[in-house]
Structures are given as structure tokens and as C-alpha cells.
Amino acid sequence: MNKKELEDILKEVLSKEKKNLFTFLTGAGISAASGIPTFRGKDGYWVSGSKNYKAQDIGTYKMFQVASMEVWKWFLYRKSITEAAQPNTGHHKLKEIEDLLQDRFVLISQNVDSLHKKAGSSAERTYLIHGDFDFVRCGDECSRELYPFPEGIDLKNRDKDIITEAEWKLVRCPKCGEDLRPNVLWFDEYYNEHYFKSESALRAAKNTGVLFIIGTSGATNLPMELARTVLQYGGYVFDVNIEDNQFTELLKGKKRAVTIREDSSVFLEEVETILKRIV
Ligand SMILES: [Zn+2]
């Protein structure tokens, strides 16, 4: 697609009165340049004693029920990486595009690393469909309240994975005393509106004029559903990824589907440049 064609689509969506949202769906690909590993690939393992876990095994409610401390150690290790990371050009471009589009902008992210927040994306227009490392909740669901990540807990690395007694006391639900848990969607759990804004994301998809899929392969079902919904309701879908993925098959032969195989930050810069001129 050349710049003129891209500009025509952006103009068309801008001119619409309905179904005129610009929705950006982001995944691990956008955070890779900030040094965040995907945890699905080779960095997804966790060693404890003689056991070697895969992310798909340890990042589960089932594991939390039998070994909550082990799950917390893994979580604190992951959080130590995201905490130290800084947003990159892609995150900054999205924040600038939000500033241009205001209420026509929606950001749906599968990332739990808080980098969109660090780049300044607003909480109101961001749906974190896989949760957020900055919040915890009762692991026993005694209430649906979210609490900020407790202060006074040292983030861990792979070599120093000890949780002290004092730290472990901080990981208690203030209401019932059970273990707190990170507010993230685990591999054996389902999406919901209260914690993950899944209904809001689907509603946005129905009102989307153009969806940009940035750095996500569509390995989970809600992102796929979002792309399907946008197409069904007459919007455009751009697949901006460095390689083919599970969206590729969905988009094949669709009139309003566009495949972009380039660095997403370069593409987002193009979008921003055009929007600056036409908004
Ligand atoms: Zn509780």
C-alpha cells in the first residue's frame, strides 16, 4: 500500500459519522524493542529447584492454587523486567496519535507491561485485555476490588528468587487475608469485562472504522474476535507485523484487509504524519 492509499483510508474514516473509531490493537511485538521478552518463546521458562516450568504451566490459576509463592516469584521476576523497561518509539507514536484523534482513538493492548501508560496513553481510552502488572486482587475473589501493587516488595531476578517473610505478609488480601494475585489473565482463565474490559473492546470493534493490529500474532481468542468483528461491521483491518501470523489467514482475500510487513514504529510514524495533516 502506498502513502496516498493509506491517506485515503484515514480520510474516509475521519469523514464518517458512525463507525469512525481508529482502533489500535497491540501485542508483544511492540514491546520487543523495549527489551520485553514474549514469555511464550524461549524466555518463557521458570526453573524452581529441579523443576523447569513453561509459562503456560506456571501462569495459571491451577498453579496458583497449589503453589502461589512459586507463581509470585515468577511474577516478580517478570515485573523486574517490565519495571526497568522504557517505552519505545512505537509507544510514543501511539500516544501522539491519541492526542490528535482524542475520542476517536481506542487502544486495546494484550501487554501487561505498563509501557503504554509510561508513554502517556490515557487510562480512559486504553483497554488492557490481559490485565496489568501494576494491580493485584484477592486470589480467593472475596471481592472484585483491584489494589495497587503492594509497596515494600523487592522485584526479583532469576538468581535471587527468595520472597522474604515480611514480603509474603504484604501479599495478603486486606479483606480476607488470603493470597493476593496479580491482575492478569492467566492461561487457564477467560476474558471478562470487569477486570479485562472485553465487552468494551468488542463494542469498540463494532464502531471501528479502521483497526491496526500491531505486533501481535492472534494467539488468543479475543484479538481474533476483534478483527473479525471490525470486518463484519464494515471497517478496515491493517495487519502490521513483521511476519505472517494467525491473522493472515483471517484477512486473506478480504476487501478491507491490508497487510503491512514492516517495522511497526515506522508505520505508526507514517500514520501520525498523515493524521497531523488531515485531522
Ligand atoms: Zn480476599
Side-chain angles (χ1 to χ4, degrees), residues 137-143 147 173-180:
R137 63 184 212 247
C138 177
D140 210 33
E141 299 275 320
C142 77
S143 82
Y147 308 105
C173 171
K175 287 196 175 134
C176 74
E178 285 296 325
D179 299 345
L180 289 169

Side-chain angles (χ1 to χ4, degrees), residues 23-226:
T23 303
F24 296 79
L25 169 65
T26 64
I30 198 169
S31 292
S34 296
I36 312 267
T38 67
F39 293 101
R40 269 184 192 273
K42 63 178 172 54
D43 294 300
Y45 71 95
W46 178 253
V47 181
S48 172
S50 59
K51 287 196 179 135
N52 197 340
Y53 299 101
K54 274 193 245 161
Q56 289 88 328
D57 298 324
I58 196 155
T60 60
Y61 186 64
K62 193 177 160 208
M63 180 66 87
F64 181 76
Q65 282 176 306
V66 294
S68 60
M69 191 183 266
E70 209 50 55
V71 175
W72 264 98
K73 285 178 188 171
W74 181 65
F75 167 62
L76 292 174
Y77 158 63
R78 288 187 59 183
K79 193 166 164 61
S80 74
I81 295 176
T82 61
E83 201 91 336
Q86 292 305 319
N88 62 59
T89 312
H91 300 102
H92 292 305
K93 289 294 148 200
L94 281 169
K95 146 76 177 146
E96 284 157 26
I97 291 171
E98 177 179 358
D99 288 346
L100 290 168
L101 293 170
Q102 302 282 323
D103 284 341
R104 304 277 295 267
F105 175 94
V106 176
L107 174 59
I108 300 172
S109 184
Q110 295 167 251
N111 298 340
V112 292
D113 55 29
S114 308
L115 290 178
H116 286 303
K117 200 189 310 177
K118 277 188 194 166
S121 292
S122 77
E124 307 81 66
R125 300 187 190 109
T126 305
Y127 301 141
L128 297 172
I129 58 171
H130 288 176
D132 181 352
F133 274 2
D134 289 346
F135 290 91
V136 295
R137 63 184 212 247
C138 177
D140 210 33
E141 299 275 320
C142 77
S143 82
R144 303 175 87 198
E145 204 168 325
L146 294 180
Y147 308 105
F149 179 78
E151 271 177 48
I153 297 179
D154 260 358
L155 299 176
K156 316 294 173 191
N157 57 42
R158 281 196 193 278
D159 309 319
K160 179 184 160 294
D161 65 349
I162 308 296
I163 295 182
T164 64
E165 221 167 287
E167 286 173 332
W168 193 235
K169 279 189 186 142
L170 296 170
V171 190
R172 298 295 111 221
C173 171
K175 287 196 175 134
C176 74
E178 285 296 325
D179 299 345
L180 289 169
R181 58 167 286 177
N183 184 45
V184 295
L185 182 72
W186 280 329
F187 288 95
D188 57 350
E189 295 182 314
Y190 296 101
Y191 291 100
N192 66 59
E193 172 64 15
H194 183 75
Y195 299 126
F196 307 116
K197 300 283 177 281
S198 52
E199 297 301 319
S200 302
L202 278 168
R203 203 176 313 125
K206 289 178 185 170
N207 292 306
T208 290
V210 57
L211 169 71
F212 298 97
I213 298 167
I214 312 278
T216 169
S217 64
T220 51
N221 60 36
L222 182 60
M224 215 37 127
E225 189 60 29
L226 293 170

Side-chain angles (χ1 to χ4, degrees), residues 12-30:
E12 183 191 327
V13 176
L14 268 179
S15 71
K16 287 166 94 177
E17 278 186 25
K18 285 180 180 169
K19 296 182 185 161
N20 58 10
L21 294 177
F22 292 75
T23 303
F24 296 79
L25 169 65
T26 64
I30 198 169

